[in-house]
Amino acid sequence: MDRRCGLLTAENAPVPLKGISVRLEVKGFVADLSASLEYVNEELDPLEAMFVFPMDSDSAVYHFQAQVGGKTIVASLKEKEQAKDDYDDAISSGRQAFLLHEDESSSDVFRCSVGNLPPGDKVTVSFRLVQELPLEADGAVRFTLPAVLNPRYTPAGTQGPKITSASAPVDKLPYTLQLEADFHNSLGISRVQSNCGVTPVEFLNPEKTSAKLSLADGHGFDRDVEFLIYCDKIHEPSAVVEGGLETAAQGTLMGEAAVMVNLFPSFSQTASNASVGEFIFLMDRSGSMGSQMSQEDKRPRIECARETLLLLVKSLPMGCYFNIYGFGSSFASFFPTSVEYTQSSTREALDKLKAVSADMGGTEILQPLSAIYRTARVTGHPRQLFVFTDGEVSNTKAVLAEVQKHSSTHRCFSFGIGEGASTALIKGMAKAASGNCEFISGKQRMQPKVLQALRYALQPSGTGLTLSWELPPGVEAAPLVQPPTELFNGKRTIIYAQLKGKLDPSLEAAATLTYSLGEQQIRTTTRFRLAPLQSGSATIHRLAAKGMIGQLEVQTAGDPAETSRRLVELSVQASVVSSKTAFIAINTELNQPLQGPLRHRHVPLYHALQMQSLMAPMSCQSNSPMMMAMGFAGSIEPQACFQGPMDSMACQMDSPPMMAKKCSKGQKKKIRNTRDLTEKLSKIRSVSYCMSAYCDSAIDSAFICPPPPPLRGGASSVPAPSCPPPEEDEEDEEGPWLKLVALQNADGSWGPEPGLGSALGLTIEQIKLGRPRQDLELTLWATILAVIWLHSFAADTKLEWDLLVNKSLSWVKATGAPDLADCVKAANALLKTCVLPETLGL
């Protein structure tokens, strides 16, 4: 057998990508990034290499070039099909060519092709992009460099493209990442944090307005790289004026000055009609949700989602309506239609929630969304949709089109769970339906971000937005990107506008955003100087162009051909890649066309959900129908099979799996670090296979599962596995404060039940005797004790329980009981705490 050495792909061929280097500059809320990818051809024939990689969907890629033999070849931006034809013609004639474009199915996946790399030669391809950065709830500006591209699930009956072509285990990635970062903020930088190993932060001036750091040596590109930049006075409105490019014609987007205005609407957080609303929670229950949250957080995603839904349900107000859907290859709902939020419906929902697991096969989100949109809405209760998914679908554009179609009646809040969640899907759903989106990765907890979204949903939002300008004579402002239709309290709003006319740097201007909050009119004004900054990268112009391109790409009105023409024209003028354009570079100075067969190589990319690691013991007959259906045919050598107790099962995958063997106590373990087998196995239509457990020693049990019974709401053509859920670990991972929250009644009260005493560390008799007076109603007393306990012993998770505690305090006040301050004093004495009545509003 031919044993090849060096850096190899899964097909046993040398990997041409050797390294990635990144230069990052963060200025306020904007990132400017340049990345270089170095390829080396170690084979004997010319090589075509393809690298498929993730990128934030808000990124505006504006430059692409290649360095070959000391020459720099700068790419031009063309209509995508024309660029592809030019690339194919070049490499078929033996010329060197380079292509960069968005994937056909999603704007957050890019493909970079390097064609006709001669034997022994090296080439470095580079691209540059700018990106708006999100603001976290704690005031941090967050930058994320995606490293993880999860396999996209293709729904049954659709022709989704294969987005990832090769992958490698985390410890065998054949290339590394080098990154240097500079941070600038005129308000001052207090600190910078990262989820990766970095050098100490070096401040570049006494005012701490500039800082730099770099990733530690030897960093493997095995996870998203995140930076949290904390600055002083981050919520103050600001504006930046940028001059036009000297090379661009006057009167064009790139030739005139542009302004970026950051506004922070601020209004009372008192909820209005908080009991009005229909809340539908749509939770991903596909196999991938059984994998761990991240490298740092080993908990299964589905476990975090269950915990989050518990808090959401407990935090809902009395009188609203709600329902919970789960989806995978099929979908099901807890109730036939949304039900009124009562003690009975809440108890039923939470009982069903306990049994929820990642057992529904693939990720088909379009079907449940369509079913929800078809169901009748509750009159007088605006519908709000909360979507939880790890964002791994190939039909992203179809999903966004469906959300957009129903955006007038359904506001959507979306949450990307774990590293590798599709930014195009998560951000696109929220943008299309006037909601908010969040991503949860690293050590971040899901609950605070989701509960913040519920606050947005329960509070009134600003509507009827209008923008006015105060400008010197001879200067006009023309909005470039349509502002959002709704504003949330404290959430940043960005306005882009073109400034036409001669600007005097000594003069000031102002932008005023006016919106309605109920019957109240609110104005937010930002003043700024008309002193344009000169930027070679035209950052603000290109961010504005990216926003304009995004709006054109989802536009449904008008002539599609005309919309496409305008999109291409805008993309080429701003040099910002779009779904209709691509960067193409051809080396026309190559003296002789390359001879010999052209080899094709796909560069491995780390998958957070390493299917290969789980399937390695099963691949002795990798050309069996089962393995071919799973997409692993021929990809693993027979010698890769484990030796030992798995041999009989691993080498006979064409035969029915063995009967299940129960794992011994202590062996049982949830599948946390790999894609659940059901997602791949559900594609085999003759029979649904699934794994029952992942034991410490080996995978020693498998089942042939009967098809599941029909689910409410319909099912896809691919049956989802229906296996008995694995036994829970004996170790109880639920925190004590969550046990207390689980005991709360729907109206916000707590009853004097035995579980309450256990959660508070008291006996029921101690609770009764601790009352300030013996005629005090026990439910009122238990509620005050629970609220004070949470304030004292779970203060670090306040963002997660304050909504449900506010409901409790409203219930306490509604009882009209006298001497509540005395009750607080007595509760402090019993619990040995010190919470002031004023803290509770009592």
Side-chain angles (χ1 to χ4, degrees):
M1 180 179 294
D2 179 21
R3 295 283 185 184
R4 309 192 72 170
C5 301
L7 304 176
L8 308 177
T9 65
E11 292 82 15
N12 206 35
V15 176
L17 179 62
K18 299 296 182 179
I20 302 174
S21 61
V22 173
R23 181 73 188 178
L24 170 67
E25 186 175 32
V26 175
K27 293 182 178 180
F29 297 108
V30 175
D32 192 334
L33 178 145
S34 62
S36 298
L37 293 78
E38 181 181 311
Y39 295 86
V40 177
N41 184 4
E42 297 179 340
E43 301 194 33
L44 300 177
D45 297 307
L47 184 70
E48 180 186 26
M50 177 178 286
F51 185 41
V52 185
F53 57 98
M55 188 178 294
D56 193 289
S57 60
D58 284 341
S59 299
V61 180
Y62 66 89
H63 181 80
F64 182 55
Q65 69 178 38
Q67 291 177 303
V68 187
K71 293 189 289 288
T72 298
I73 308 167
V74 179
S76 58
L77 193 62
K78 293 185 178 182
E79 191 275 329
K80 181 183 282 188
E81 295 307 315
Q82 181 62 55
K84 287 183 176 181
D85 289 345
D86 291 350
Y87 175 82
D88 291 340
D89 290 345
I91 63 172
S92 63
S93 61
R95 300 292 180 184
Q96 286 182 329
F98 311 91
L99 184 69
L100 179 70
H101 63 91
E102 287 183 6
D103 190 85
E104 305 298 336
S105 67
S106 184
S107 62
D108 66 342
V109 178
F110 272 67
R111 293 178 178 268
C112 177
S113 300
V114 178
N116 274 333
L117 181 60
D121 268 21
K122 178 176 73 173
V123 61
T124 299
V125 295
S126 305
F127 61 85
R128 297 192 66 178
L129 62 88
V130 289
Q131 176 190 341
E132 294 174 2
L133 299 181
L135 190 64
E136 298 290 284
D138 63 356
V141 177
R142 180 158 71 101
F143 168 82
T144 302
L145 179 66
V148 180
L149 180 61
N150 289 336
R152 300 296 201 255
Y153 180 82
T154 302
T158 65
Q159 297 297 320
K162 186 177 182 181
I163 291 183
T164 50
S165 302
S167 65
V170 60
D171 59 343
K172 295 183 179 179
L173 273 177
Y175 51 89
T176 58
L177 169 69
Q178 293 181 323
L179 185 149
E180 295 181 349
D182 291 335
F183 307 96
H184 307 279
N185 195 300
S186 60
L187 300 175
I189 300 170
S190 57
R191 66 186 188 278
V192 180
Q193 295 179 348
S194 177
N195 65 327
C196 301
V198 295
T199 60
V201 177
E202 180 183 348
F203 290 100
L204 304 180
N205 54 32
E207 296 80 16
K208 294 187 175 181
T209 57
S210 297
K212 68 176 183 179
L213 58 76
S214 60
L215 286 180
D217 292 340
H219 175 84
F221 208 173
D222 60 349
R223 69 184 70 184
D224 289 353
V225 177
E226 294 182 353
F227 294 119
L228 295 175
I229 306 103
Y230 292 86
C231 304
D232 300 326
K233 302 177 182 178
I234 195 67
H235 288 91
E236 288 189 357
S238 62
V240 180
V241 179
E242 181 179 78
L245 292 177
E246 294 181 357
T247 55
Q250 286 294 311
T252 64
L253 170 65
M254 306 304 290
E256 300 276 2
V259 60
M260 174 186 184
V261 182
N262 294 285
L263 300 170
F264 295 88
S266 178
F267 43 84
S268 171
Q269 298 189 32
T270 303
S272 175
N273 294 325
S275 62
V276 174
E278 180 188 3
F279 300 89
I280 296 182
F281 305 108
L282 178 59
M283 181 169 63
D284 192 340
R285 290 179 55 183
S286 63
S288 59
M289 288 291 287
S291 61
Q292 67 188 39
M293 283 291 296
S294 67
Q295 294 285 327
E296 295 85 0
D297 188 348
K298 307 299 182 183
R299 294 177 303 160
R301 298 175 182 179
I302 193 70
E303 179 183 309
C304 298
R306 280 198 306 263
E307 183 180 307
T308 301
L309 275 175
L310 165 67
L311 290 170
L312 280 171
V313 171
K314 289 292 186 179
S315 300
L316 292 176
M318 294 291 288
C320 72
Y321 287 75
F322 78 106
N323 203 351
I324 298 174
Y325 283 72
F327 73 93
S329 297
S330 55
F331 65 91
S333 60
F334 281 15
F335 306 103
T337 60
S338 294
V339 296
E340 186 176 358
Y341 184 81
T342 64
Q343 179 65 17
S344 174
S345 61
T346 302
R347 183 183 297 111
E348 182 179 351
L350 294 181
D351 285 343
K352 292 180 178 180
L353 184 61
K354 294 176 183 177
V356 164
S357 57
D359 59 357
M360 295 185 73
T363 309
E364 298 192 24
I365 193 173
L366 185 56
Q367 290 190 36
L369 279 173
S370 299
I372 289 170
Y373 293 143
R374 288 195 301 268
T375 60
R377 303 190 304 277
V378 181
T379 303
H381 290 263
R383 180 175 285 180
Q384 312 210 56
L385 182 61
F386 287 67
V387 180
F388 304 87
T389 180
D390 48 14
E392 301 164 14
V393 297
S394 64
N395 59 340
T396 299
K397 294 183 179 179
V399 173
L400 297 185
E402 184 75 357
V403 174
Q404 177 75 39
K405 186 168 69 173
H406 298 275
S407 59
S408 62
T409 55
H410 294 70
R411 186 161 64 169
C412 182
F413 297 86
S414 51
F415 306 91
I417 303 173
E419 294 176 337
S422 169
T423 59
L425 178 68
I426 304 304
K427 290 185 175 183
M429 293 177 71
K431 286 180 180 178
S434 302
N436 188 53
C437 67
E438 292 286 357
F439 292 86
I440 301 97
S441 61
K443 294 183 179 180
Q444 298 172 330
R445 283 178 61 80
M446 185 189 308
Q447 294 78 4
K449 294 190 174 186
V450 176
L451 269 296
Q452 179 60 53
L454 182 59
R455 289 184 191 90
Y456 289 150
L458 291 174
Q459 295 167 8
S461 58
T463 58
L465 280 64
T466 60
L467 188 65
S468 59
W469 299 86
E470 181 184 325
L471 298 166
V475 179
E476 296 180 357
L480 294 173
V481 182
Q482 182 180 347
T485 57
E486 293 189 56
L487 296 179
F488 297 112
N489 183 45
K491 181 174 174 58
R492 180 173 54 128
T493 299
I494 302 175
I495 305 294
Y496 291 101
Q498 192 102 61
L499 296 177
K500 300 180 178 181
K502 186 175 181 179
L503 304 186
D504 185 344
S506 66
L507 298 180
E508 275 194 345
T512 299
L513 184 67
T514 304
Y515 53 93
S516 300
L517 186 65
E519 297 181 356
Q520 184 182 6
Q521 288 285 311
I522 297 180
R523 290 178 174 82
T524 300
T525 299
T526 302
R527 305 197 68 85
F528 56 93
R529 284 201 173 275
L530 293 173
L533 300 175
Q534 297 301 323
S535 169
S537 58
T539 301
I540 292 174
H541 287 76
R542 289 191 165 113
L543 288 175
K546 177 66 176 179
M548 297 166 70
I549 289 169
Q551 291 179 350
L552 284 172
E553 287 177 330
V554 298
Q555 181 174 307
T556 55
D559 180 14
E562 174 61 18
T563 300
S564 181
R565 185 197 66 77
R566 289 174 55 202
L567 198 158
V568 172
E569 182 181 36
L570 174 61
S571 176
V572 172
Q573 180 190 147
S575 191
V576 172
V577 74
S578 70
S579 60
K580 301 291 186 181
T581 55
F583 279 109
I584 174 71
I586 299 175
N587 187 358
T588 58
E589 299 182 17
L590 193 64
N591 293 328
Q592 294 292 331
L594 297 177
Q595 304 296 322
L598 182 64
R599 307 291 184 184
H600 300 271
R601 296 290 177 255
H602 294 283
V603 178
L605 188 69
Y606 170 64
H607 288 172
L609 311 174
Q610 285 294 336
M611 186 67 182
Q612 289 87 337
S613 64
L614 185 59
M615 290 306 302
M618 303 183 182
S619 55
C620 287
Q621 301 218 2
S622 58
N623 288 315
S624 67
M626 181 178 187
M627 297 304 291
M628 292 178 68
M630 296 175 68
F632 287 95
S635 62
I636 306 176
E637 294 287 331
Q639 288 82 355
C641 290
F642 291 156
Q643 300 298 314
M646 285 299 297
D647 287 354
S648 59
M649 174 183 172
C651 296
Q652 299 183 26
M653 290 303 295
D654 288 329
S655 61
M658 303 185 310
M659 294 302 293
K661 180 176 71 175
K662 183 175 177 62
C663 292
S664 62
K665 281 189 177 182
Q667 283 186 312
K668 193 76 72 176
K669 182 185 291 185
K670 297 173 185 175
I671 302 177
R672 298 190 178 189
N673 59 353
T674 183
R675 173 176 292 274
D676 192 289
L677 281 174
T678 57
E679 189 146 351
K680 281 286 187 181
L681 293 168
S682 63
K683 296 181 180 179
I684 305 171
R685 305 205 175 199
S686 59
V687 63
S688 294
Y689 296 84
C690 70
M691 300 304 298
S692 67
Y694 189 44
C695 299
D696 290 337
S697 57
I699 303 175
D700 64 357
S701 56
F703 294 91
I704 297 180
C705 305
L711 296 168
R712 180 184 296 128
S716 70
S717 59
V718 181
S722 177
C723 297
E727 296 176 11
E728 293 294 329
D729 294 339
E730 291 191 51
E731 179 184 357
D732 191 353
E733 298 181 359
E734 189 179 61
W737 73 273
L738 276 174
K739 293 180 181 178
L740 180 59
V741 165
L743 298 173
Q744 187 193 42
N745 296 321
D747 60 6
S749 66
W750 271 271
E753 54 187 285
L756 176 68
S758 175
L760 298 178
L762 301 169
T763 65
I764 292 297
E765 190 63 25
Q766 287 174 316
I767 291 175
K768 292 180 179 179
L769 292 177
R771 287 177 289 178
R773 60 178 192 277
Q774 290 306 299
D775 63 341
L776 182 65
E777 205 273 324
L778 276 174
T779 300
L780 174 60
W781 175 236
T783 303
I784 293 174
L785 285 173
V787 168
I788 290 178
W789 190 97
L790 287 170
H791 272 277
S792 300
F793 301 109
D796 58 333
T797 56
K798 184 178 179 181
L799 289 176
E800 303 176 32
W801 51 253
D802 65 340
L803 279 177
L804 63 91
V805 163
N806 288 341
K807 182 167 63 171
S808 300
L809 292 173
S810 296
W811 179 88
V812 168
K813 295 173 184 177
T815 64
D819 303 326
L820 290 177
D822 291 340
C823 293
V824 172
K825 182 178 179 180
N828 279 320
L830 182 61
L831 295 172
K832 296 180 174 56
T833 57
C834 185
V835 177
L836 298 176
E838 293 81 2
T839 303
L840 307 178
L842 301 178

